[in-house]
Amino acid sequence: MFTNIKTHVVGLQHVELTDSIIRELQMNASLRLMHMPENPFDRNAIGVYVGAFRIGYIRRKHSKVFVRALASSAWTVTVCSDEPASITRYSKSFPVTVRVEAKQAPVTVAPKIQPAEAGGIYRLHLKKSGQAYIGQAKHINSRLTEHWRDMALGIHANYKLQEYWIQHGPSLIEAEVVELMPVTARQVHCQPFQFANGLA
């Protein structure tokens, strides 16, 4: 089981990139991630390295997603540049794809709603806390599968939802449809993988 997450390496303007480092980056050099809890601005900061040289950090909004995966021997985390040839000494950031893969696939099955191809607005009801995550998707069941996969991997983008999963498990999360949307309306109004309102 794995997931690929698109993000950026940022902060390149704060380091002095040598010509040799730039050439390595342009040739798609091997990148390494390291959690840096001593960072005074972000305890979830993740540095990005070429060899022993730190070139920047994973974008802050994504860094906390990868912290658990980096700390656990159950997952493999790899990162590669999406546009290596575009990196110059004037670059402030560049796009990367981070792949998180479970060495042994977690046993988890996402709930299914009916009708099977339904799209629209859905709610994840957290039975223990009474909170709810509200989202929308063209295909709700596909989106639920992604939610359960990412929570099982420990890398769900919603930190509170991930914490709830860790503390209480999937049996205390109930998926339900709030509003179904016809196929024709979905094509115009409903963007996949966007949520209308995050976990309160």
Side-chain angles (χ1 to χ4, degrees), residues 45-61:
I46 295 178
V48 182
Y49 288 77
V50 174
F53 185 79
R54 190 183 73 243
I55 61 171
Y57 294 88
I58 289 293
R59 178 165 283 173
R60 186 170 186 171
K61 73 175 184 178

Side-chain angles (χ1 to χ4, degrees), residues 2-8 58 61-63 65-66 78-80 82 95-100 149-150 153-157:
F2 70 90
T3 187
N4 291 323
I5 299 176
K6 299 285 188 179
T7 185
H8 283 76
I58 289 293
K61 73 175 184 178
H62 291 129
S63 61
V65 175
F66 305 124
T78 55
V79 57
C80 64
D82 292 339
V96 294
T97 298
V98 179
R99 181 185 179 101
V100 179
R149 177 201 64 195
D150 288 354
L153 285 169
I155 59 166
H156 197 281

Side-chain angles (χ1 to χ4, degrees), residues 158-169:
N158 188 292
Y159 197 72
K160 291 183 179 179
L161 190 56
Q162 182 66 66
E163 286 295 315
Y164 182 91
W165 172 287
I166 291 171
Q167 292 177 24
H168 305 294

Side-chain angles (χ1 to χ4, degrees), residues 54-121:
R54 190 183 73 243
I55 61 171
Y57 294 88
I58 289 293
R59 178 165 283 173
R60 186 170 186 171
K61 73 175 184 178
H62 291 129
S63 61
K64 64 184 178 183
V65 175
F66 305 124
V67 167
R68 281 196 193 86
L70 287 171
S72 173
S73 60
W75 296 297
T76 299
V77 182
T78 55
V79 57
C80 64
S81 174
D82 292 339
E83 301 172 8
S86 67
I87 301 171
T88 71
R89 66 171 57 256
Y90 305 108
S91 298
K92 295 181 179 180
S93 66
F94 63 90
V96 294
T97 298
V98 179
R99 181 185 179 101
V100 179
E101 185 169 6
K103 294 179 180 178
Q104 182 174 354
V107 179
T108 179
V109 178
K112 299 294 182 184
I113 56 96
Q114 296 296 330
E117 296 301 316
I121 300 172

Side-chain angles (χ1 to χ4, degrees), residues 8-199:
H8 283 76
V9 176
V10 299
L12 275 68
Q13 71 272 25
H14 300 304
V15 296
E16 187 174 344
L17 296 179
T18 64
D19 290 340
S20 61
I21 290 290
I22 292 171
R23 282 195 298 272
E24 286 189 61
L25 288 171
Q26 291 173 340
M27 296 176 66
N28 210 9
S30 176
L31 302 177
R32 179 170 56 91
L33 302 183
M34 180 180 294
H35 181 206
M36 305 184 69
E38 72 283 358
N39 186 296
F41 304 105
D42 181 12
R43 62 186 176 86
N44 293 313
I46 295 178
V48 182
Y49 288 77
V50 174
F53 185 79
R54 190 183 73 243
I55 61 171
Y57 294 88
I58 289 293
R59 178 165 283 173
R60 186 170 186 171
K61 73 175 184 178
H62 291 129
S63 61
K64 64 184 178 183
V65 175
F66 305 124
V67 167
R68 281 196 193 86
L70 287 171
S72 173
S73 60
W75 296 297
T76 299
V77 182
T78 55
V79 57
C80 64
S81 174
D82 292 339
E83 301 172 8
S86 67
I87 301 171
T88 71
R89 66 171 57 256
Y90 305 108
S91 298
K92 295 181 179 180
S93 66
F94 63 90
V96 294
T97 298
V98 179
R99 181 185 179 101
V100 179
E101 185 169 6
K103 294 179 180 178
Q104 182 174 354
V107 179
T108 179
V109 178
K112 299 294 182 184
I113 56 96
Q114 296 296 330
E117 296 301 316
I121 300 172
Y122 63 92
R123 175 170 50 233
L124 302 183
H125 176 225
L126 311 187
K127 298 178 182 179
K128 192 77 173 179
S129 67
Q131 294 175 303
Y133 176 105
I134 299 175
Q136 64 177 12
K138 286 183 178 179
H139 301 287
I140 294 175
N141 280 332
S142 295
R143 187 65 181 117
L144 293 179
T145 296
E146 293 193 341
H147 279 307
W148 258 247
R149 177 201 64 195
D150 288 354
M151 287 188 286
L153 285 169
I155 59 166
H156 197 281
N158 188 292
Y159 197 72
K160 291 183 179 179
L161 190 56
Q162 182 66 66
E163 286 295 315
Y164 182 91
W165 172 287
I166 291 171
Q167 292 177 24
H168 305 294
S171 64
L172 291 179
I173 302 177
E174 182 179 37
E176 52 194 12
V177 175
V178 176
E179 182 180 347
L180 290 176
M181 188 173 291
V183 173
T184 52
R186 282 185 239 165
Q187 294 173 351
V188 177
H189 299 293
C190 191
Q191 297 297 319
F193 317 137
Q194 298 292 320
F195 55 84
N197 185 19
L199 185 63

